[in-house]
Amino acid sequence: RMYDELNKGSHGRETKVMLLCGADILESMITPGVWMESDLRALLSRGLVCITRSGTDPLKIIQENDVLYEFRDRIHLVREWVENNVSSTAVRRAVKRGMSIRYFVADGVLDYIEEKGIYK
């Protein structure tokens, strides 16, 4: 339904909806019991963009997992060109624990998180 709504009036240009994730989410896809294979197939059939970090080897993860390998042409790896070792998982964990995330995220992001009370 979202796909149809996004493509209304697009004048023949298709809008693609893909999962954008960090390398930690890609790694979780090969951890037993975390993802159902049917869910992975549904996500990967649409496509996935993975932001990689130093110290991760997403190509190895894809090569060693049958489902990821099957959809390898739909997995787009983007290498960080400015190193940022702050993961969204770490930010969510810090907020939940009442720790400051100032200087880890942009001021507008911090304001939004505090205003909406998310991750608590």
Side-chain angles (χ1 to χ4, degrees):
R1 193 175 80 177
M2 180 188 348
Y3 175 82
D4 292 335
E5 189 65 30
L6 286 171
N7 283 297
K8 260 191 215 174
S10 64
H11 307 290
R13 292 185 356 201
E14 181 184 8
T15 300
K16 291 193 81 157
V17 177
M18 302 170 127
L19 174 65
L20 172 64
C21 68
D24 55 335
I25 298 299
L26 185 68
E27 287 178 301
S28 78
M29 292 179 175
I30 63 168
T31 304
V34 174
W35 293 83
M36 292 176 44
E37 186 174 322
S38 59
D39 291 341
L40 275 180
R41 289 182 175 283
L43 283 171
L44 294 169
S45 69
R46 293 266 184 202
L48 179 141
V49 177
C50 178
I51 309 298
T52 64
R53 294 200 163 104
S54 61
T56 62
D57 191 353
L59 288 174
K60 182 179 178 186
I61 293 168
I62 294 166
Q63 291 291 327
E64 293 180 354
N65 180 274
D66 291 338
V67 175
L68 295 178
Y69 187 79
E70 179 183 337
F71 289 95
R72 67 191 177 281
D73 293 337
R74 295 177 184 246
I75 301 173
H76 307 279
L77 302 176
V78 178
R79 187 72 56 196
E80 277 185 324
W81 57 277
V82 173
E83 191 168 327
N84 173 3
N85 288 320
V86 178
S87 74
S88 57
T89 302
V91 169
R92 288 189 299 272
R93 184 178 301 126
V95 171
K96 185 175 182 178
R97 294 178 179 174
M99 301 166 70
S100 174
I101 57 170
R102 187 168 302 283
Y103 309 117
F104 289 105
V105 297
D107 290 343
V109 172
L110 176 61
D111 293 342
Y112 183 86
I113 290 171
E114 289 176 347
E115 178 185 311
K116 302 293 184 186
I118 57 177
Y119 305 138
K120 292 193 177 204

